[in-house]
Amino acid sequence: MSTSFFVAADWLIEHSDDPEIQLIDARMAPVGQEHRDMRAEYRAGHLPGAVFFDIEALSDHTTPLPHMLTRPEAFAVAMRELGINQDKHLVVYDEGNLFSAPRAWWMLRNHGVENVSILAGGLAGWQRDALPLQKGDVPLPESDFNANFDPHVVKKLTDVLLASHEGTAQIVDARPAPRFNGEVDEPRAGLKRGHIPGALNVPWVDLVVEGELKTTDELAAIFRRQGVDLHKPIIASCGSGVTASVVILALETLGASNVTLYDGSWSEWGARDDLPIETA
């Protein structure tokens, strides 16, 4: 494992009877694949005992922006109804591309869960090892969950505008380089091409290999090459706040401590007519 934030499948098997470990399936359809029914895919086969952590359903639906954090009180109620206990060791996984598990990891940690890990390799790695799957839902009794959310971990548009203009924080954009550079259209309709002025591009896929992070040496080299200073404040951004969490996971693995998330990300910035935009 490249980081203590991950556990391996063989470790999970060794601890399969541990009542203090809870499995969470955080699979999510990438933009452009919204036609997929992720809950149906979960029911068709998931790790034994895993509950479905529906990032889309757990988002704030009072805003047109995708995947925005909901109120802490609403999140806590949803966790209690799912049976997720904040005092247990939560192990999160996704399809195996490390696309959405980091977002679930970030959400849980910042709502007061102290012990959250990601399954290296995710579902794909589990299936490659021919390990057992379970079908259907996993009904659990209602749990204890009291959200202890730190609002300072999330930045709003005005915070990012100030950071862009004054240089008070580095803005690290996790989108692929062609989107960051304004060379291709955004997958979401109505968004402009380009990036926030002064932002640095660290595509999330460059940080990942086979469903886990690359080695710490490789990660450090990538951030250094892109001009990111780990000792200065960083605001992570992406298309809708999901893959920015991969960047946050990598940065925290490297010991960066002042890392926050622009939850609106390009879905908010790129939709506005009154904000500055840069292209390559």
Side-chain angles (χ1 to χ4, degrees):
M1 298 301 96
S2 60
T3 163
S4 59
F5 292 131
F6 286 84
V7 298
D10 54 4
W11 180 92
L12 200 54
I13 293 166
E14 289 171 10
H15 294 81
S16 59
D17 295 327
D18 188 339
E20 293 305 306
I21 292 175
Q22 257 191 313
L23 286 175
I24 295 176
D25 186 313
R27 278 179 279 177
M28 180 182 185
V31 63
Q33 298 182 28
E34 290 86 357
H35 60 280
R36 292 172 59 187
D37 185 339
M38 300 310 296
R39 188 173 292 276
E41 292 187 27
Y42 159 80
R43 288 173 175 147
H46 53 79
L47 269 65
V51 296
F52 186 51
F53 187 97
D54 189 341
I55 292 174
E56 185 60 51
L58 292 167
S59 301
D60 182 359
H61 296 288
T62 66
T63 169
L65 298 173
H67 317 134
M68 296 289 284
L69 285 176
T70 189
R71 292 179 300 106
E73 300 79 13
F75 184 84
V77 168
M79 294 302 99
R80 288 196 288 269
E81 290 176 348
L82 282 174
I84 294 174
N85 191 316
Q86 70 190 111
D87 294 326
K88 293 191 175 183
H89 181 179
L90 307 183
V91 178
V92 183
Y93 69 89
D94 56 25
E95 289 187 282
N97 49 5
L98 205 63
F99 167 71
S100 55
R103 174 69 180 193
W105 167 88
W106 182 87
M107 291 169 71
L108 289 162
R109 288 177 83 226
N110 287 298
H111 281 90
V113 183
E114 292 187 5
N115 201 359
V116 190
S117 301
I118 295 172
L119 176 63
L123 180 65
W126 189 265
Q127 291 176 304
R128 277 196 302 271
D129 292 339
L131 296 169
L133 295 176
Q134 177 184 2
K135 293 186 177 181
D137 290 313
V138 176
L140 296 176
E142 188 166 309
S143 66
D144 291 326
F145 199 105
N146 297 301
N148 181 21
F149 185 70
D150 178 6
H152 297 100
V153 300
V154 178
K155 295 300 183 186
K156 301 185 184 306
L157 187 148
T158 50
D159 302 317
V160 181
L161 184 61
L162 180 65
S164 171
H165 188 259
E166 302 291 343
T168 52
Q170 303 163 98
I171 302 165
V172 177
D173 191 323
R175 291 177 300 153
R179 288 169 59 189
F180 178 86
N181 292 325
E183 297 164 352
V184 297
D185 286 337
E186 283 292 304
R188 290 183 177 85
L191 300 183
K192 297 175 176 61
R193 293 185 178 192
H195 58 262
I196 299 166
L200 306 170
N201 188 209
V202 180
W204 73 275
V205 292
D206 292 353
L207 305 171
V208 174
V209 59
E210 294 184 352
E212 62 181 299
L213 292 177
K214 293 180 177 178
T215 67
T216 52
D217 287 346
E218 289 173 311
L219 295 176
I222 290 168
F223 284 109
R224 185 167 55 248
R225 186 167 61 244
Q226 297 307 102
V228 180
D229 187 339
L230 303 184
H231 304 291
K232 294 180 179 178
I234 296 170
I235 302 171
S237 180
C238 60
S240 65
V242 174
T243 57
S245 301
V246 182
V247 168
I248 293 174
L249 177 68
L251 287 166
E252 294 201 12
T253 295
L254 293 173
S257 58
N258 194 346
V259 184
T260 53
L261 173 72
Y262 174 27
D263 209 24
S265 284
W266 195 251
S267 293
E268 180 175 37
W269 194 285
R272 297 276 292 257
D273 293 324
D274 57 345
L275 294 172
I277 289 175
E278 282 183 350
T279 55

